[in-house]
Amino acid sequence: MKADRQLAKYLANLGYGSRKEIEAAIRKGRVTGEGDALRFDGAPVDPPPGMVILMNKPAGLTCSRQDQGRLVYELLPPRYLKRTPALSTVGRLDADTTGLLLFTDDGKLLHRLISPKSDMPKTYDATLARPLEGHEADLFASGELMLRGEDKPLLPATLEITGERTARLTLTEGRYHQVRRMFAAAGNHVEALHRANFGLLTLGDLPVGDWRHLTAEEIAALG
């Protein structure tokens, strides 16, 4: 009986229902196996706390529960929003930005990755309103670029020109709308923005709107 209560608490923290609901499910035989082979209604149980999810975010969804409109969480199983500890995005991509987005319920990892002291490189592909003028790479790499309304210059960032109006930008900071503001400071406007990499992580062939759990090795590589 004590073991059943402990199991019910564990599954309730994973969002499968209230403790009473899970205790009833256990009595009905809906919970089977144990350890890594634990199943609920025949399906493997979700990862324990420390879970990290990688999503290929589509346009039109926001990351903040405070914003209006559709949220990226809608693409995940509803029970994921009932997990304890809570699941959060690792930083934010605005509604119009697509690409690699991480989620985790590991608070220490979350704060480490979004800390201003984090040097995790993030790469973005930008499509611009006007042709590049040729000075942008030096400006972004200078370590002297100041964004409007701020009093601290940006850290050096690497710009690779990929076309007349396209470029790949790699930076190690995560200031508010940073990529869009950087190009605005260079006299241009970002029409489309896609995050391609987060550290060593890439989207691979993950379809837009889909997601997957990171492996233990991938999580360890995040530091």
PDB file of all heavy atoms in Angstrom, residues 25-54:
ATOM      1  N   ALA A  25      -6.262   4.217 -10.760  1.00  0.00           N
ATOM      2  CA  ALA A  25      -5.708   3.606 -11.972  1.00  0.00           C
ATOM      3  C   ALA A  25      -4.827   2.410 -11.622  1.00  0.00           C
ATOM      4  O   ALA A  25      -4.827   1.397 -12.335  1.00  0.00           O
ATOM      5  CB  ALA A  25      -4.917   4.652 -12.752  1.00  0.00           C
ATOM      6  N   ILE A  26      -4.089   2.517 -10.517  1.00  0.00           N
ATOM      7  CA  ILE A  26      -3.237   1.409 -10.082  1.00  0.00           C
ATOM      8  C   ILE A  26      -4.101   0.213  -9.713  1.00  0.00           C
ATOM      9  O   ILE A  26      -3.812  -0.934 -10.107  1.00  0.00           O
ATOM     10  CB  ILE A  26      -2.352   1.842  -8.894  1.00  0.00           C
ATOM     11  CG1 ILE A  26      -1.319   2.877  -9.353  1.00  0.00           C
ATOM     12  CG2 ILE A  26      -1.650   0.632  -8.269  1.00  0.00           C
ATOM     13  CD1 ILE A  26      -0.517   3.508  -8.221  1.00  0.00           C
ATOM     14  N   ARG A  27      -5.192   0.466  -8.996  1.00  0.00           N
ATOM     15  CA  ARG A  27      -6.072  -0.635  -8.584  1.00  0.00           C
ATOM     16  C   ARG A  27      -6.699  -1.322  -9.787  1.00  0.00           C
ATOM     17  O   ARG A  27      -6.954  -2.534  -9.769  1.00  0.00           O
ATOM     18  CB  ARG A  27      -7.169  -0.107  -7.647  1.00  0.00           C
ATOM     19  CG  ARG A  27      -6.656   0.311  -6.267  1.00  0.00           C
ATOM     20  CD  ARG A  27      -7.804   0.490  -5.300  1.00  0.00           C
ATOM     21  NE  ARG A  27      -8.692   1.571  -5.694  1.00  0.00           N
ATOM     22  CZ  ARG A  27      -8.546   2.845  -5.322  1.00  0.00           C
ATOM     23  NH1 ARG A  27      -7.524   3.189  -4.547  1.00  0.00           N
ATOM     24  NH2 ARG A  27      -9.400   3.768  -5.710  1.00  0.00           N
ATOM     25  N   LYS A  28      -6.934  -0.553 -10.848  1.00  0.00           N
ATOM     26  CA  LYS A  28      -7.553  -1.116 -12.057  1.00  0.00           C
ATOM     27  C   LYS A  28      -6.538  -1.776 -12.990  1.00  0.00           C
ATOM     28  O   LYS A  28      -6.907  -2.280 -14.049  1.00  0.00           O
ATOM     29  CB  LYS A  28      -8.299  -0.015 -12.802  1.00  0.00           C
ATOM     30  CG  LYS A  28      -9.513   0.528 -12.064  1.00  0.00           C
ATOM     31  CD  LYS A  28     -10.180   1.652 -12.841  1.00  0.00           C
ATOM     32  CE  LYS A  28     -11.374   2.214 -12.097  1.00  0.00           C
ATOM     33  NZ  LYS A  28     -12.023   3.346 -12.834  1.00  0.00           N
ATOM     34  N   GLY A  29      -5.274  -1.750 -12.597  1.00  0.00           N
ATOM     35  CA  GLY A  29      -4.258  -2.405 -13.411  1.00  0.00           C
ATOM     36  C   GLY A  29      -3.781  -1.591 -14.598  1.00  0.00           C
ATOM     37  O   GLY A  29      -3.139  -2.141 -15.512  1.00  0.00           O
ATOM     38  N   ARG A  30      -4.046  -0.288 -14.591  1.00  0.00           N
ATOM     39  CA  ARG A  30      -3.625   0.558 -15.712  1.00  0.00           C
ATOM     40  C   ARG A  30      -2.149   0.925 -15.630  1.00  0.00           C
ATOM     41  O   ARG A  30      -1.564   1.380 -16.615  1.00  0.00           O
ATOM     42  CB  ARG A  30      -4.478   1.832 -15.746  1.00  0.00           C
ATOM     43  CG  ARG A  30      -5.962   1.580 -16.013  1.00  0.00           C
ATOM     44  CD  ARG A  30      -6.777   2.854 -15.818  1.00  0.00           C
ATOM     45  NE  ARG A  30      -6.333   3.910 -16.727  1.00  0.00           N
ATOM     46  CZ  ARG A  30      -6.704   5.195 -16.602  1.00  0.00           C
ATOM     47  NH1 ARG A  30      -7.478   5.561 -15.587  1.00  0.00           N
ATOM     48  NH2 ARG A  30      -6.273   6.083 -17.471  1.00  0.00           N
ATOM     49  N   VAL A  31      -1.560   0.760 -14.445  1.00  0.00           N
ATOM     50  CA  VAL A  31      -0.139   1.021 -14.255  1.00  0.00           C
ATOM     51  C   VAL A  31       0.572  -0.312 -14.125  1.00  0.00           C
ATOM     52  O   VAL A  31       0.242  -1.115 -13.249  1.00  0.00           O
ATOM     53  CB  VAL A  31       0.115   1.882 -13.002  1.00  0.00           C
ATOM     54  CG1 VAL A  31       1.603   2.162 -12.836  1.00  0.00           C
ATOM     55  CG2 VAL A  31      -0.667   3.190 -13.088  1.00  0.00           C
ATOM     56  N   THR A  32       1.526  -0.562 -15.005  1.00  0.00           N
ATOM     57  CA  THR A  32       2.221  -1.846 -15.025  1.00  0.00           C
ATOM     58  C   THR A  32       3.727  -1.639 -15.070  1.00  0.00           C
ATOM     59  O   THR A  32       4.212  -0.550 -15.391  1.00  0.00           O
ATOM     60  CB  THR A  32       1.794  -2.679 -16.245  1.00  0.00           C
ATOM     61  OG1 THR A  32       2.063  -1.925 -17.440  1.00  0.00           O
ATOM     62  CG2 THR A  32       0.314  -3.009 -16.186  1.00  0.00           C
ATOM     63  N   GLY A  33       4.457  -2.691 -14.783  1.00  0.00           N
ATOM     64  CA  GLY A  33       5.908  -2.633 -14.844  1.00  0.00           C
ATOM     65  C   GLY A  33       6.485  -1.838 -13.690  1.00  0.00           C
ATOM     66  O   GLY A  33       5.796  -1.436 -12.756  1.00  0.00           O
ATOM     67  N   GLU A  34       7.771  -1.612 -13.774  1.00  0.00           N
ATOM     68  CA  GLU A  34       8.461  -0.841 -12.739  1.00  0.00           C
ATOM     69  C   GLU A  34       9.766  -0.311 -13.318  1.00  0.00           C
ATOM     70  O   GLU A  34      10.236  -0.752 -14.366  1.00  0.00           O
ATOM     71  CB  GLU A  34       8.748  -1.701 -11.518  1.00  0.00           C
ATOM     72  CG  GLU A  34       9.581  -2.924 -11.802  1.00  0.00           C
ATOM     73  CD  GLU A  34       9.768  -3.802 -10.569  1.00  0.00           C
ATOM     74  OE1 GLU A  34       8.983  -3.679  -9.616  1.00  0.00           O
ATOM     75  OE2 GLU A  34      10.709  -4.594 -10.579  1.00  0.00           O
ATOM     76  N   GLY A  35      10.346   0.676 -12.606  1.00  0.00           N
ATOM     77  CA  GLY A  35      11.606   1.243 -13.060  1.00  0.00           C
ATOM     78  C   GLY A  35      11.506   1.819 -14.456  1.00  0.00           C
ATOM     79  O   GLY A  35      10.543   2.508 -14.798  1.00  0.00           O
ATOM     80  N   ASP A  36      12.487   1.522 -15.291  1.00  0.00           N
ATOM     81  CA  ASP A  36      12.502   2.028 -16.664  1.00  0.00           C
ATOM     82  C   ASP A  36      11.416   1.410 -17.530  1.00  0.00           C
ATOM     83  O   ASP A  36      11.137   1.908 -18.624  1.00  0.00           O
ATOM     84  CB  ASP A  36      13.871   1.768 -17.308  1.00  0.00           C
ATOM     85  CG  ASP A  36      14.975   2.574 -16.655  1.00  0.00           C
ATOM     86  OD1 ASP A  36      14.656   3.604 -16.042  1.00  0.00           O
ATOM     87  OD2 ASP A  36      16.157   2.176 -16.751  1.00  0.00           O
ATOM     88  N   ALA A  37      10.803   0.323 -17.034  1.00  0.00           N
ATOM     89  CA  ALA A  37       9.755  -0.361 -17.805  1.00  0.00           C
ATOM     90  C   ALA A  37       8.355   0.022 -17.336  1.00  0.00           C
ATOM     91  O   ALA A  37       7.368  -0.600 -17.736  1.00  0.00           O
ATOM     92  CB  ALA A  37       9.938  -1.878 -17.704  1.00  0.00           C
ATOM     93  N   LEU A  38       8.243   1.065 -16.511  1.00  0.00           N
ATOM     94  CA  LEU A  38       6.945   1.491 -15.996  1.00  0.00           C
ATOM     95  C   LEU A  38       6.067   2.009 -17.133  1.00  0.00           C
ATOM     96  O   LEU A  38       6.515   2.772 -17.989  1.00  0.00           O
ATOM     97  CB  LEU A  38       7.150   2.592 -14.949  1.00  0.00           C
ATOM     98  CG  LEU A  38       5.915   3.050 -14.163  1.00  0.00           C
ATOM     99  CD1 LEU A  38       5.369   1.899 -13.317  1.00  0.00           C
ATOM    100  CD2 LEU A  38       6.270   4.232 -13.275  1.00  0.00           C
ATOM    101  N   ARG A  39       4.798   1.559 -17.131  1.00  0.00           N
ATOM    102  CA  ARG A  39       3.872   1.962 -18.190  1.00  0.00           C
ATOM    103  C   ARG A  39       2.545   2.425 -17.600  1.00  0.00           C
ATOM    104  O   ARG A  39       2.120   1.945 -16.543  1.00  0.00           O
ATOM    105  CB  ARG A  39       3.608   0.795 -19.160  1.00  0.00           C
ATOM    106  CG  ARG A  39       4.823   0.446 -20.017  1.00  0.00           C
ATOM    107  CD  ARG A  39       4.586  -0.761 -20.906  1.00  0.00           C
ATOM    108  NE  ARG A  39       5.696  -0.962 -21.820  1.00  0.00           N
ATOM    109  CZ  ARG A  39       5.776  -0.458 -23.037  1.00  0.00           C
ATOM    110  NH1 ARG A  39       4.761   0.271 -23.504  1.00  0.00           N
ATOM    111  NH2 ARG A  39       6.816  -0.674 -23.802  1.00  0.00           N
ATOM    112  N   PHE A  40       1.912   3.353 -18.307  1.00  0.00           N
ATOM    113  CA  PHE A  40       0.578   3.841 -17.933  1.00  0.00           C
ATOM    114  C   PHE A  40      -0.321   3.615 -19.137  1.00  0.00           C
ATOM    115  O   PHE A  40      -0.058   4.139 -20.216  1.00  0.00           O
ATOM    116  CB  PHE A  40       0.623   5.326 -17.565  1.00  0.00           C
ATOM    117  CG  PHE A  40      -0.633   5.828 -16.905  1.00  0.00           C
ATOM    118  CD1 PHE A  40      -0.724   5.903 -15.533  1.00  0.00           C
ATOM    119  CD2 PHE A  40      -1.731   6.218 -17.666  1.00  0.00           C
ATOM    120  CE1 PHE A  40      -1.878   6.372 -14.918  1.00  0.00           C
ATOM    121  CE2 PHE A  40      -2.882   6.678 -17.064  1.00  0.00           C
ATOM    122  CZ  PHE A  40      -2.969   6.757 -15.676  1.00  0.00           C
ATOM    123  N   ASP A  41      -1.370   2.823 -18.948  1.00  0.00           N
ATOM    124  CA  ASP A  41      -2.259   2.443 -20.060  1.00  0.00           C
ATOM    125  C   ASP A  41      -1.469   1.850 -21.229  1.00  0.00           C
ATOM    126  O   ASP A  41      -1.771   2.083 -22.405  1.00  0.00           O
ATOM    127  CB  ASP A  41      -3.072   3.648 -20.540  1.00  0.00           C
ATOM    128  CG  ASP A  41      -4.186   4.019 -19.566  1.00  0.00           C
ATOM    129  OD1 ASP A  41      -4.565   3.168 -18.742  1.00  0.00           O
ATOM    130  OD2 ASP A  41      -4.669   5.166 -19.631  1.00  0.00           O
ATOM    131  N   GLY A  42      -0.439   1.097 -20.898  1.00  0.00           N
ATOM    132  CA  GLY A  42       0.332   0.396 -21.910  1.00  0.00           C
ATOM    133  C   GLY A  42       1.441   1.197 -22.558  1.00  0.00           C
ATOM    134  O   GLY A  42       2.273   0.639 -23.284  1.00  0.00           O
ATOM    135  N   ALA A  43       1.491   2.510 -22.327  1.00  0.00           N
ATOM    136  CA  ALA A  43       2.513   3.373 -22.932  1.00  0.00           C
ATOM    137  C   ALA A  43       3.620   3.658 -21.923  1.00  0.00           C
ATOM    138  O   ALA A  43       3.349   3.825 -20.725  1.00  0.00           O
ATOM    139  CB  ALA A  43       1.903   4.680 -23.410  1.00  0.00           C
ATOM    140  N   PRO A  44       4.875   3.739 -22.374  1.00  0.00           N
ATOM    141  CA  PRO A  44       5.969   4.059 -21.450  1.00  0.00           C
ATOM    142  C   PRO A  44       5.700   5.377 -20.730  1.00  0.00           C
ATOM    143  O   PRO A  44       5.210   6.343 -21.323  1.00  0.00           O
ATOM    144  CB  PRO A  44       7.182   4.170 -22.370  1.00  0.00           C
ATOM    145  CG  PRO A  44       6.835   3.340 -23.567  1.00  0.00           C
ATOM    146  CD  PRO A  44       5.352   3.506 -23.749  1.00  0.00           C
ATOM    147  N   VAL A  45       6.004   5.424 -19.449  1.00  0.00           N
ATOM    148  CA  VAL A  45       5.804   6.639 -18.655  1.00  0.00           C
ATOM    149  C   VAL A  45       6.815   7.705 -19.086  1.00  0.00           C
ATOM    150  O   VAL A  45       7.935   7.405 -19.492  1.00  0.00           O
ATOM    151  CB  VAL A  45       5.949   6.310 -17.151  1.00  0.00           C
ATOM    152  CG1 VAL A  45       6.074   7.568 -16.317  1.00  0.00           C
ATOM    153  CG2 VAL A  45       4.758   5.495 -16.691  1.00  0.00           C
ATOM    154  N   ASP A  46       6.383   8.943 -19.019  1.00  0.00           N
ATOM    155  CA  ASP A  46       7.237  10.073 -19.412  1.00  0.00           C
ATOM    156  C   ASP A  46       8.518  10.106 -18.586  1.00  0.00           C
ATOM    157  O   ASP A  46       8.561   9.565 -17.477  1.00  0.00           O
ATOM    158  CB  ASP A  46       6.482  11.395 -19.216  1.00  0.00           C
ATOM    159  CG  ASP A  46       5.237  11.484 -20.076  1.00  0.00           C
ATOM    160  OD1 ASP A  46       5.229  10.905 -21.172  1.00  0.00           O
ATOM    161  OD2 ASP A  46       4.274  12.144 -19.632  1.00  0.00           O
ATOM    162  N   PRO A  47       9.558  10.790 -19.099  1.00  0.00           N
ATOM    163  CA  PRO A  47      10.813  10.902 -18.355  1.00  0.00           C
ATOM    164  C   PRO A  47      10.606  11.562 -16.991  1.00  0.00           C
ATOM    165  O   PRO A  47       9.708  12.390 -16.822  1.00  0.00           O
ATOM    166  CB  PRO A  47      11.690  11.777 -19.256  1.00  0.00           C
ATOM    167  CG  PRO A  47      11.128  11.585 -20.627  1.00  0.00           C
ATOM    168  CD  PRO A  47       9.650  11.431 -20.423  1.00  0.00           C
ATOM    169  N   PRO A  48      11.455  11.215 -16.026  1.00  0.00           N
ATOM    170  CA  PRO A  48      11.374  11.840 -14.696  1.00  0.00           C
ATOM    171  C   PRO A  48      11.860  13.276 -14.750  1.00  0.00           C
ATOM    172  O   PRO A  48      12.307  13.754 -15.800  1.00  0.00           O
ATOM    173  CB  PRO A  48      12.311  10.962 -13.853  1.00  0.00           C
ATOM    174  CG  PRO A  48      13.312  10.458 -14.839  1.00  0.00           C
ATOM    175  CD  PRO A  48      12.548  10.235 -16.111  1.00  0.00           C
ATOM    176  N   PRO A  49      11.774  14.013 -13.639  1.00  0.00           N
ATOM    177  CA  PRO A  49      12.313  15.374 -13.607  1.00  0.00           C
ATOM    178  C   PRO A  49      13.759  15.398 -14.095  1.00  0.00           C
ATOM    179  O   PRO A  49      14.534  14.482 -13.840  1.00  0.00           O
ATOM    180  CB  PRO A  49      12.198  15.754 -12.126  1.00  0.00           C
ATOM    181  CG  PRO A  49      11.021  14.971 -11.648  1.00  0.00           C
ATOM    182  CD  PRO A  49      11.104  13.663 -12.373  1.00  0.00           C
ATOM    183  N   GLY A  50      14.105  16.476 -14.792  1.00  0.00           N
ATOM    184  CA  GLY A  50      15.387  16.555 -15.482  1.00  0.00           C
ATOM    185  C   GLY A  50      15.198  16.404 -16.980  1.00  0.00           C
ATOM    186  O   GLY A  50      16.158  16.388 -17.747  1.00  0.00           O
ATOM    187  N   MET A  51      13.941  16.341 -17.406  1.00  0.00           N
ATOM    188  CA  MET A  51      13.595  16.180 -18.813  1.00  0.00           C
ATOM    189  C   MET A  51      13.938  17.437 -19.607  1.00  0.00           C
ATOM    190  O   MET A  51      13.759  18.562 -19.141  1.00  0.00           O
ATOM    191  CB  MET A  51      12.092  15.899 -18.921  1.00  0.00           C
ATOM    192  CG  MET A  51      11.550  15.788 -20.331  1.00  0.00           C
ATOM    193  SD  MET A  51       9.787  15.362 -20.346  1.00  0.00           S
ATOM    194  CE  MET A  51       9.058  16.923 -19.841  1.00  0.00           C
ATOM    195  N   VAL A  52      14.443  17.244 -20.826  1.00  0.00           N
ATOM    196  CA  VAL A  52      14.682  18.345 -21.752  1.00  0.00           C
ATOM    197  C   VAL A  52      14.067  17.964 -23.091  1.00  0.00           C
ATOM    198  O   VAL A  52      14.275  16.854 -23.587  1.00  0.00           O
ATOM    199  CB  VAL A  52      16.182  18.648 -21.935  1.00  0.00           C
ATOM    200  CG1 VAL A  52      16.371  19.850 -22.849  1.00  0.00           C
ATOM    201  CG2 VAL A  52      16.853  18.911 -20.593  1.00  0.00           C
ATOM    202  N   ILE A  53      13.305  18.890 -23.661  1.00  0.00           N
ATOM    203  CA  ILE A  53      12.622  18.680 -24.932  1.00  0.00           C
ATOM    204  C   ILE A  53      13.169  19.643 -25.967  1.00  0.00           C
ATOM    205  O   ILE A  53      13.422  20.812 -25.668  1.00  0.00           O
ATOM    206  CB  ILE A  53      11.097  18.909 -24.766  1.00  0.00           C
ATOM    207  CG1 ILE A  53      10.483  17.799 -23.904  1.00  0.00           C
ATOM    208  CG2 ILE A  53      10.385  18.985 -26.115  1.00  0.00           C
ATOM    209  CD1 ILE A  53       9.052  18.092 -23.508  1.00  0.00           C
ATOM    210  N   LEU A  54      13.360  19.152 -27.173  1.00  0.00           N
ATOM    211  CA  LEU A  54      13.760  19.980 -28.307  1.00  0.00           C
ATOM    212  C   LEU A  54      12.589  20.040 -29.286  1.00  0.00           C
ATOM    213  O   LEU A  54      12.068  19.013 -29.695  1.00  0.00           O
ATOM    214  CB  LEU A  54      15.002  19.395 -28.980  1.00  0.00           C
ATOM    215  CG  LEU A  54      15.618  20.165 -30.158  1.00  0.00           C
ATOM    216  CD1 LEU A  54      17.118  19.857 -30.254  1.00  0.00           C
ATOM    217  CD2 LEU A  54      14.954  19.806 -31.488  1.00  0.00           C
TER     218      LEU A  54
END
